[in-house]
Amino acid sequence: MIIYNVTSNVDDSVHNQWLEWMMDKHVPAIMATGKFYKIKIVKVLVEEEHGGTTYSVQYSADSREKLDEYYREHSPAMRAEMQQLFGDMVLQFRTELEIVQEFRVV
C-alpha cells in the first residue's frame, strides 16, 4: 500500500476557506476518482515560525499503479484548482510513502 502525503502550510487569511474547501469539495472529488480507499486530514501540532497552520493530508492507495493513474488522470487539474483558489497562501510539498508493516493492538 502507498500513502501519498501532501503537507500544506495554510496562511491564516485563508485557513477557514481552505479547510472548508478541502472537506466539502477537494476530498470528495479525490475520493470520486476511485484511486484512493482512505483519506486523512491531520493537523500538525507544531507552532509554525512563519505563521499559518500546517496539515498533512494522507491519501491511501492500494498500489503504486493506482497512484500513477491518479497522477496521469487527475493530479494536474487538482493542483491547478488549488493554485487558482489559494495561490501562494497555501504552500505544499508532497511525499510518497510505502507501508512496510502495520501493527495494531487487538
Side-chain angles (χ1 to χ4, degrees):
M1 288 183 267
I2 301 288
I3 298 173
Y4 172 51
N5 182 76
V6 180
T7 302
S8 302
N9 179 263
V10 183
D11 189 270
D12 292 337
S13 66
V14 297
H15 178 267
N16 292 343
Q17 180 186 358
W18 178 83
L19 195 55
E20 183 177 312
W21 175 76
M22 287 294 292
M23 303 280 194
D24 296 343
K25 305 259 181 188
H26 187 70
V27 169
I30 298 274
M31 290 300 287
T33 69
K35 306 304 179 192
F36 302 100
Y37 67 88
K38 175 174 69 174
I39 298 175
K40 288 183 188 179
I41 299 176
V42 182
K43 184 176 178 179
V44 178
L45 299 178
V46 172
E47 190 168 323
E48 292 296 335
E49 182 178 319
H50 301 290
T53 304
T54 299
Y55 290 89
S56 166
V57 183
Q58 301 169 356
Y59 304 84
S60 297
D62 287 326
S63 66
R64 177 77 218 189
E65 292 75 26
K66 290 277 190 186
L67 180 57
D68 288 341
E69 289 170 7
Y70 169 75
Y71 286 151
R72 281 192 311 275
E73 299 168 13
H74 305 284
S75 182
M78 297 294 184
R79 288 186 189 194
E81 183 179 16
M82 172 77 74
Q83 182 63 34
Q84 178 186 16
L85 290 171
F86 302 104
D88 63 357
M89 303 310 285
V90 178
L91 304 176
Q92 298 182 312
F93 71 89
R94 293 160 177 81
T95 311
E96 296 174 4
L97 309 165
E98 181 180 16
I99 297 172
V100 175
Q101 180 67 47
E102 190 171 339
F103 299 88
R104 296 179 188 223
V105 175
V106 262

